[in-house]
């Protein structure tokens, strides 16, 4: 972290930062632990052109989750543009290794978040990002149309443009919608984290589950669960607690793969051909 940003944060918060340490913060931004004599802060810094917009919608997402009073998120303290890029400053939550009891509580709290229906539309008031990839959130009343138009189709088009997929390997938008309509049940909008892999939750030293790095929107609650199953990091106690509130519905296994397709497409577009086989298998199986 450069001295100008350190001085800027000290000025705005009226604190003296005694130590700055680079810590793990994901693949997209640099992350720092800032320490004063009595407080600790977590700061993400990114110098890309899209960074300020990315952090602003992340801030809005964290605040939207916090507003539900169902599950904890770090408090955002500052979110400003830099001459190049931007930064996001939050409370630092010291993590610990999760126990089965912690994961059970995470399952209950996530279900509480999903159980609040504050919208009759699918989508969000702002477009945001999934990782560093833009994520469209135009509102729809029909879940299948939203999921295809705002999730699958943009990523499929990007994959073709980036030569990750050939144009003859992807179904038409109409075919995608028709298949989803046949496979999706009637869905009630839930506020989703939107990118719930194992690196986007933590358990604090006080045994409190937190969500971090959201890509929020209103969608089918099974989307978050599908993402938890894609790369692991969630145990049986988590799923047992969650299903007390949202019992599994027939066809969930199929829908899980279709919901995972979105995340696999994002990874294909971000990281390349190692995800091609998984994407192609799901496309062939259902579309």
């Amino acid at each position: 972290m450069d001295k100008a940003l350190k001085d800027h944060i000290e000025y705005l918060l009226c604190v003296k930062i005694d130590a700055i340490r680079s810590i793990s913060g994901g693949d997209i931004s640099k992350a720092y632990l800032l320490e004063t004599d009595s407080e600790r802060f977590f700061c993400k810094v990114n110098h890309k052109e899209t960074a300020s917009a990315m952090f602003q919608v992340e801030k809005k997402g964290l605040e939207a989750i916090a507003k539900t009073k169902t599950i904890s998120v770090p408090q955002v303290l500052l979110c400003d543009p830099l001459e190049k890029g931007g930064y996001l400053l939050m409370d630092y939550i010291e993590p610990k290794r999760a126990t089965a009891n912690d994961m059970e509580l995470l399952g209950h709290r996530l279900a509480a978040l999903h159980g609040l229906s504050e919208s009759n539309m699918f989508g969000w008031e702002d477009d945001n990002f999934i990782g560093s990839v833009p994520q469209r959130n135009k509102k729809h009343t029909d879940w299948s149309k939203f999921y295809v138009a705002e999730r699958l189709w943009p990523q499929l088009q990007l994959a073709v443009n980036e030569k990750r997929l050939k144009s003859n390997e992807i179904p038409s938008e109409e075919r995608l919608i028709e298949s989803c309509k046949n496979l999706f049940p009637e869905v009630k909008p839930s506020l989703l984290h939107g990118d719930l892999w194992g690196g986007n939750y933590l358990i604090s030293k006080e045994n409190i589950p937190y969500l971090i790095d959201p890509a929020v929107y209103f969608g089918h609650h099974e989307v978050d669960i599908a993402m938890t199953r894609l790369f692991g990091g969630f145990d049986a106690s988590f799923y047992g607690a969650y299903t007390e509130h949202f019992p599994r519905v027939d066809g969930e296994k199929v829908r899980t793969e279709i919901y995972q397709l979105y995340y696999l497409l994002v990874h294909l577009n971000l990281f390349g051909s190692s995800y091609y086989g998984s994407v192609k298998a799901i496309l062939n199986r259902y579309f």
Side-chain angles (χ1 to χ4, degrees), residues 20-32:
I20 299 174
R21 180 159 52 95
S22 181
I23 58 176
S24 174
D27 301 321
I28 298 168
S29 303
K30 292 182 179 179
Y32 301 93

Side-chain angles (χ1 to χ4, degrees), residues 1-286:
M1 176 181 289
D2 62 38
K3 184 177 184 302
L5 179 55
K6 171 182 174 290
D7 292 345
H8 177 70
I9 292 170
E10 287 182 325
Y11 173 76
L12 291 178
L13 295 185
C14 298
V15 298
K16 180 180 182 302
I17 298 170
D18 297 318
I20 299 174
R21 180 159 52 95
S22 181
I23 58 176
S24 174
D27 301 321
I28 298 168
S29 303
K30 292 182 179 179
Y32 301 93
L33 172 61
L34 282 55
E35 298 183 89
T36 73
D37 59 356
S38 61
E39 296 176 282
R40 293 192 291 178
F41 307 106
F42 176 76
C43 187
K44 294 201 290 189
V45 181
N46 191 301
H47 295 292
K48 292 183 178 178
E49 286 184 10
T50 57
S52 182
M54 184 172 67
F55 288 149
Q56 284 292 336
V57 290
E58 180 178 345
K59 173 179 179 285
K60 287 184 179 180
L62 289 166
E63 289 172 345
I65 295 172
K67 187 179 177 182
T68 69
K69 300 187 185 303
T70 57
I71 189 165
S72 296
V73 294
Q75 182 183 0
V76 176
L77 303 171
L78 297 171
C79 183
D80 295 313
L82 299 171
E83 184 176 348
K84 290 184 179 179
Y87 76 97
L88 181 65
L89 187 81
M90 297 174 278
D91 287 336
Y92 176 72
I93 311 300
E94 186 173 359
K96 66 156 198 161
R97 187 180 182 87
T99 66
N101 287 341
D102 296 326
M103 296 305 295
E104 182 179 351
L105 183 57
L106 176 62
H108 287 305
R109 295 280 175 87
L110 181 67
L113 175 67
H114 289 170
L116 287 181
S117 282
E118 300 175 346
S119 176
N120 57 2
M121 303 281 284
F122 300 100
W124 189 246
E125 57 261 29
D126 300 298
D127 292 340
N128 51 20
F129 293 82
I130 177 83
S132 60
V133 177
Q135 178 172 265
R136 297 188 339 200
N137 289 319
K138 181 181 177 181
K139 291 183 179 180
H140 293 250
T141 56
D142 183 279
W143 170 240
S144 296
K145 289 182 179 178
F146 172 86
Y147 189 66
V148 172
E150 310 304 324
R151 292 294 175 267
L152 295 183
W153 191 245
Q155 292 300 320
L156 286 166
Q157 291 295 294
L158 180 59
V160 170
N161 292 341
E162 295 295 323
K163 297 183 171 27
R164 308 290 195 187
L165 289 170
K166 296 176 182 176
S167 57
N168 63 3
E169 291 181 300
I170 69 171
S172 68
E173 189 171 5
E174 293 74 19
R175 175 68 181 276
L176 289 165
I177 292 172
E178 180 184 357
S179 296
C180 287
K181 280 184 175 293
N182 290 332
L183 294 168
F184 293 172
E186 185 176 341
V187 173
K188 191 176 183 180
S190 295
L191 183 61
L192 306 183
H193 175 280
D195 189 17
L196 194 54
W197 67 288
N200 279 349
Y201 77 86
L202 58 85
I203 307 298
S204 75
K205 291 288 187 180
E206 295 75 32
N207 307 315
I208 299 170
Y210 281 78
L211 297 182
I212 59 175
D213 295 344
V216 302
Y217 64 99
F218 285 97
H220 188 193
H221 67 89
E222 287 182 3
V223 174
D224 271 351
I225 300 304
M227 183 50 161
T228 68
R229 296 185 187 279
L230 185 56
F231 300 120
F234 298 79
D235 67 11
S237 60
F238 166 81
Y239 294 110
Y242 185 85
T243 54
E244 288 181 26
H245 307 273
F246 288 95
R248 300 184 72 166
V249 177
D250 288 348
E252 184 188 16
K253 184 177 179 183
V254 169
R255 292 189 299 276
T256 292
E257 289 196 277
I258 295 173
Y259 293 154
Q260 288 175 345
L261 175 60
Y262 172 60
Y263 296 109
L264 290 167
L265 282 165
V266 170
H267 279 71
L268 176 68
N269 288 323
L270 280 173
F271 305 117
S273 60
S274 60
Y275 293 93
Y276 170 82
S278 298
V279 165
K280 195 69 170 60
I282 296 173
L283 287 173
N284 290 344
R285 193 172 300 130
Y286 300 112

